[in-house]
């Protein structure tokens, strides 16, 4: 007849208890990044050991992401949070991390990785910058991920943290990282050859977000449309900028797609320059799916206008 109910219940219970433990060994590490470029790095280095999700999209201004509750749910499951740091995400990330109630990714925990700590930031203010006055780069320039030298540092930082979280897979993460670096070396040689005509090019940018790229490709930054990082331009500032551009013969204004293009177009027209809508993150356009696509698209955009 029927087996006694108590035995069924016992079976069900022991299955339930046994399953999560067995699954744990196979589970992928849940990696959450604040920008899509870091998600690409994490997928490359983490391979089939990770599941990766980005909190923001490359077509958004990473300084100002809407802190939607669904992002808290994503963070709740994270084993590792990879962020830009240098206050880039300060306007939206901290309340999400606290609200996620996930002890693994709280500040200073093993699951909290601030990649600005693995490289040397540029544009560190020499005088005290008060954020209340609107400057959004008070600790240095957070837009550092595009040049290959920094991409390697970021990927290495991710590798080290993954290896710490899952030491038994360290050799695998090392191998994945080496593959990425090999691909990157080949690409960087090609990019640097492509960019040779840009060396010494005078540029104006909307936001002070291209310092690392300018240093890499020897571009000369003559001015910025924003008065200071995060501060809208005054008419007096723009008039001065147009004057400077004319005197210096600046032909290019680099603008991320999420900034006010009409201001840039207006300045460009008066100064005899052209606007380049440059991608700054993976996902800036649907075609930019990887870090390699990103650098390709950036270079092509600038080269199209200049040459
Ligand atoms: Zn910025």
């Amino acid at each position: 007849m029927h087996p006694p109910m108590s035995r069924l219940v016992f079976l069900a219970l022991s299955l339930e208890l046994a399953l999560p433990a067995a699954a744990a060994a196979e589970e992928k590490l849940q990696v959450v990044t604040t920008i899509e470029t870091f998600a690409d790095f994490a997928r490359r280095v983490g391979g089939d050991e990770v599941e990766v999700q980005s909190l923001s999209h490359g077509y958004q201004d990473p300084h100002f992401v809407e802190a939607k509750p669904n992002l808290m749910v994503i963070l709740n499951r994270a084993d590792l949070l990879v962020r830009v740091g240098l206050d880039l995400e300060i306007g939206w990330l901290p309340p999400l991390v606290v609200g996620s109630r996930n002890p693994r990714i709280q500040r200073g925990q093993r699951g909290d990785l601030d990649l600005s700590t693995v490289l040397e930031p540029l544009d560190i203010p020499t005088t005290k910058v008060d954020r209340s006055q609107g400057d959004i780069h008070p600790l240095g320039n957070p837009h550092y991920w595009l040049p290959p030298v920094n991409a390697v540092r970021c990927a290495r930082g991710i590798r080290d943290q993954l290896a710490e979280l899952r030491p038994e897979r360290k050799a695998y993460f090392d191998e994945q990282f080496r593959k990425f670096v090999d691909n990157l070396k080949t690409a960087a040689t090609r990019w640097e050859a492509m960019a040779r005509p840009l060396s010494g090019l005078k540029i104006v940018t909307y936001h002070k977000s291209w310092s690392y790229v300018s240093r890499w490709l020897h571009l000369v930054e003559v001015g910025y449309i924003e008065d200071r990082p995060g501060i809208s331009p005054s008419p007096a500032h723009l008039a001065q900028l147009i004057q400077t551009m004319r005197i210096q013969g600046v032909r290019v204004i680099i603008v991320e797609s999420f900034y006010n293009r009409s201001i840039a177009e207006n300045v460009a027209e008066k100064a005899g320059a052209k606007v380049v809508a440059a991608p700054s993150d993976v996902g800036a356009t649907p075609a930019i799916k990887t870090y390699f696509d990103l650098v390709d698209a950036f270079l092509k955009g600038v080269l199209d206008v200049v040459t």
Side-chain angles (χ1 to χ4, degrees), residues 91-127:
W92 56 277
L93 186 64
L96 290 175
V97 170
V98 172
S100 76
R101 296 165 159 263
N102 177 350
R104 296 184 294 278
I105 57 160
Q106 301 299 316
R107 216 163 243 233
Q109 298 304 305
R110 282 203 316 169
D112 173 41
L113 177 57
D114 171 353
L115 283 181
S116 72
T117 62
V118 305
L119 44 87
E120 275 175 43
L122 298 178
D123 306 332
I124 294 175
T126 46
T127 53

Side-chain angles (χ1 to χ4, degrees), residues 18-297:
L19 272 175
E26 307 291 323
E27 258 171 35
K28 291 175 191 273
L29 282 169
Q30 299 297 312
V31 179
V32 175
T33 67
T34 55
I35 60 167
E36 289 198 62
T37 300
F38 287 176
D40 187 46
F41 294 158
R43 283 188 194 105
R44 285 168 193 278
V45 175
D48 51 25
E49 289 289 312
V50 296
E51 224 162 60
V52 185
Q53 212 168 340
S54 171
L55 296 176
S56 76
H57 297 290
Y59 52 81
Q60 294 173 306
D61 181 346
H63 285 287
F64 304 103
V65 175
E66 198 188 336
K68 289 184 187 156
N70 72 309
L71 301 183
M72 247 181 243
V73 177
I74 294 170
L75 284 166
N76 174 263
R77 295 189 294 261
D79 297 302
L80 178 62
L81 168 63
V82 184
R83 58 192 173 86
V84 176
L86 297 173
D87 275 5
L88 181 84
E89 305 102 335
I90 199 164
W92 56 277
L93 186 64
L96 290 175
V97 170
V98 172
S100 76
R101 296 165 159 263
N102 177 350
R104 296 184 294 278
I105 57 160
Q106 301 299 316
R107 216 163 243 233
Q109 298 304 305
R110 282 203 316 169
D112 173 41
L113 177 57
D114 171 353
L115 283 181
S116 72
T117 62
V118 305
L119 44 87
E120 275 175 43
L122 298 178
D123 306 332
I124 294 175
T126 46
T127 53
K128 189 171 158 39
V129 173
D130 186 350
R131 220 189 141 83
S132 68
Q133 288 162 20
D135 193 314
I136 55 176
H137 293 172
L139 304 175
N141 194 317
H143 305 275
Y144 54 71
W145 52 86
L146 210 129
V149 63
N150 281 351
V152 170
R153 288 174 180 142
C154 291
R156 188 187 294 126
I158 293 170
R159 175 201 67 179
D160 291 348
Q161 210 62 25
L162 290 175
E164 197 168 320
L165 290 171
R166 195 160 277 183
E168 68 277 18
R169 299 297 281 150
K170 183 178 181 307
Y172 173 73
F173 297 133
D174 281 345
E175 180 56 30
Q176 292 288 109
F177 172 69
R178 263 198 301 274
K179 264 191 239 168
F180 173 62
V181 172
D182 284 347
N183 292 338
L184 193 54
K185 274 185 188 157
T186 310
T189 307
R190 180 168 55 82
W191 290 330
E192 280 155 23
M194 273 171 83
R196 215 157 284 144
L198 301 179
S199 181
L201 181 74
K202 289 178 180 173
I203 59 167
V204 159
T205 72
Y206 196 102
H207 184 60
K208 197 167 169 50
S209 40
W210 301 96
S211 303
Y212 299 87
V213 172
S214 294
R215 175 178 274 202
W216 173 37
L217 301 176
H218 312 291
L219 310 178
V220 180
E221 296 186 0
V222 168
Y224 311 94
I225 290 197
E226 286 182 331
D227 246 316
R228 270 176 289 149
I231 298 175
S232 302
S234 62
H237 171 73
L238 291 180
Q240 180 65 54
L241 182 66
I242 291 163
Q243 177 97 354
T244 308
M245 287 175 71
R246 282 198 191 129
I247 292 168
Q248 301 243 13
V250 178
R251 288 154 58 205
V252 181
I253 303 180
I254 296 179
V255 182
E256 288 98 332
S257 54
F258 42 79
Y259 285 117
N260 187 325
R261 183 157 175 149
S262 65
I263 293 180
E265 291 285 4
N266 200 283
V267 170
E269 196 184 314
K270 289 184 174 142
K274 281 187 178 159
V275 173
V276 178
S280 54
D281 187 14
V282 170
T285 67
I288 302 174
K289 296 186 195 318
T290 69
Y291 166 76
F292 294 91
D293 296 341
L294 172 64
V295 183
D296 274 332

